[in-house]
Amino acid sequence: MARLARFDLDTRLADALDATALVNALHGCDVAFHCVVGDKSTITDSIESTYLACRQAGVQRLIYLSSAVVHGRELYPGLTRIRPLILIFVRI
């Protein structure tokens, strides 16, 4: 968040697994970024709740930023990209 502070952006944070907190945070937003940090289940479980909250709050675009964490934290020498990380733009 500190790096974003240099831009004139309205930034909001919410628990991505708390539907009420998400809707409240997203109210009045045109665009939402899904940038969840946590273990694999937290990241994947939060996608649906974020999408539904965006619909309820009237968000026009949800941008999902994938995380390397879903591919595992165990890195080893010579690791290659087995599965691509995906950036998804969703028009709601």
Side-chain angles (χ1 to χ4, degrees), residues 7-65:
F7 302 105
D8 185 23
L9 299 173
D10 177 9
T11 56
R12 303 171 188 188
L13 296 174
D15 181 341
L17 298 174
D18 181 339
T20 302
L22 280 171
V23 172
N24 290 337
L26 293 169
H27 183 73
C29 294
D30 297 319
V31 178
F33 287 84
H34 182 273
C35 306
V36 173
V37 176
D39 60 19
K40 182 178 180 177
S41 66
T42 300
I43 294 167
T44 56
D45 291 350
S46 65
I47 296 167
E48 183 178 8
S49 59
T50 302
Y51 173 77
L52 294 173
C54 284
R55 288 194 58 145
Q56 188 174 347
V59 174
Q60 296 297 305
R61 183 168 296 197
L62 169 61
I63 300 171
Y64 171 74
L65 300 176

